Amino acid sequence: TEILSLKAVRKAYNVGTPIETEVLHGIDLSLRAGEFAALVGPSGSGKSTLLHLIGLLERPTSGEIHIGGERIGALDEAGLTRLRGRSLGFVFQFHHLLPGFSALENVMMPSLIERGRYDAAMRRRAEWLVARVGLAGAMHKKPSELSGGMQQRVAVARALAGNPPLVLADEPTGNLDTHTADEIFTLMRDFNREEGTAFLIVTHDPRLAARCDRSIELVDGRLYAGQAT
Ligand code: ADP
Ligand code: ADP
């Protein structure tokens, strides 16, 4: 089954002005449930833009995107927010943890916001995740009390909190040393195998891309290849 499909997706900025620029030129792409894919390509090739479209932060200029079988063109803002909360998890290059809250609270936050109320199952899931990423002893620490690698572990746990079928990661290891990058990558790979979560990971690290099921390469806003690695 498909978790994600893009058909003839184009994205232009400053549409209708003299500086209109098309950044993505007709992207056809699909991702199966449980797939673990790298998104690679030179700087400026459109990776962030593509991730923003799939993450429902921006709409395509033309073409169709389906996530979990839903056609996003048919959804209003509230519908997009709901689909994002139900279907997607996010990991960023910089962890974006809330400084005033503990590791555990940070992991619970998206589910809390999405459901609008606290429940015990949510907390159990968050506690389990924090332990699973190796931070059982640091659950109540604030982000500033954690190392960069630990902060990114919390961010990975947070992305998984709502059991999303797809996690989007924009250079999740770009800010880490090689050893820590490997650990974070392995953690995502483990969740992929244990929970069947699909991942789409932007990375500049060929070693990490080679450890994915598949490399999707963007060059100048076009998909270059989607072959198995
Ligand atoms: P990558 O993530 O591969 O580095 P981006 O998606 O960030 O590529 O950028 C692709 C191209 O689109 C670049 O030329 C960038 O300057 C341009 N671009 C990205 N966002 C915008 C925007 N909001 N307005 C205008 N141009 C943009
Ligand atoms: P990265 O190097 O991580 O891909 P960038 O520095 O290219 O990030 O872009 C950072 C942010 O600025 C992104 O959200 C991107 O969409 C936006 N952006 C990039 N290029 C432009 C541009 N020419 N005009 C406006 N926004 C841009």
Side-chain angles (χ1 to χ4, degrees):
T1 51
E2 255 176 22
I3 177 65
L4 171 71
S5 96
L6 283 79
K7 293 209 174 69
V9 166
R10 296 178 176 272
K11 178 66 180 177
Y13 289 109
N14 306 305
V15 174
T17 76
I19 54 162
E20 176 167 337
T21 327
E22 189 173 274
V23 173
L24 296 175
H25 317 288
I27 303 290
D28 292 302
L29 171 66
S30 71
L31 217 62
R32 289 189 310 277
E35 235 182 324
F36 194 79
L39 177 59
V40 304
S43 193
S45 58
K47 303 181 297 298
S48 297
T49 302
L50 184 59
L51 225 58
H52 288 173
L53 295 179
I54 298 170
L56 308 178
L57 304 171
E58 291 186 63
R59 289 183 186 267
T61 308
S62 66
E64 284 203 359
I65 300 179
H66 284 79
I67 292 180
E70 281 209 65
R71 189 168 67 87
I72 68 147
L75 300 174
D76 60 10
E77 283 305 312
L80 291 182
T81 303
R82 190 175 40 80
L83 183 60
R84 192 184 303 122
R86 233 187 18 220
S87 304
L88 299 173
F90 295 89
V91 184
F92 309 95
Q93 179 169 4
F94 301 99
H95 55 77
H96 290 301
L97 300 175
L98 296 170
F101 293 88
S102 71
L104 181 66
E105 288 164 341
N106 267 283
V107 172
M108 293 203 314
M109 200 61 71
S111 326
L112 199 57
I113 290 167
E114 202 217 332
R115 289 180 223 172
R117 62 181 176 79
Y118 172 85
D119 72 59
M122 184 193 290
R123 188 188 172 93
R124 277 198 304 277
R125 167 79 174 157
E127 282 175 347
W128 182 86
L129 280 166
V130 174
R132 177 64 188 82
V133 303
L135 296 175
M139 198 169 288
H140 301 298
K141 294 208 159 139
K142 301 274 166 64
S144 61
E145 301 173 279
L146 304 174
S147 68
M150 290 163 99
Q151 290 169 347
Q152 202 60 324
R153 285 167 178 272
V154 177
V156 171
R158 178 183 56 185
L160 274 295
N163 280 307
L166 173 61
V167 170
L168 304 175
D170 199 348
E171 296 190 47
T173 64
N175 194 35
L176 304 171
D177 65 76
T178 311
H179 176 72
T180 310
D182 281 354
E183 287 181 349
I184 295 297
F185 187 87
T186 299
L187 203 52
M188 294 191 288
R189 192 46 154 158
D190 289 346
F191 278 120
N192 163 252
R193 294 200 166 118
E194 291 167 17
E195 305 210 329
T197 315
F199 280 77
L200 182 60
I201 304 174
V202 174
T203 181
H204 282 111
D205 187 338
R207 283 178 326 114
L208 296 183
R211 288 172 60 192
C212 293
D213 298 332
R214 181 180 165 201
S215 260
I216 297 160
E217 188 174 359
L218 262 181
V219 179
D220 292 338
R222 289 191 170 81
L223 231 46
Y224 182 71
Q227 78 278 28
T229 50

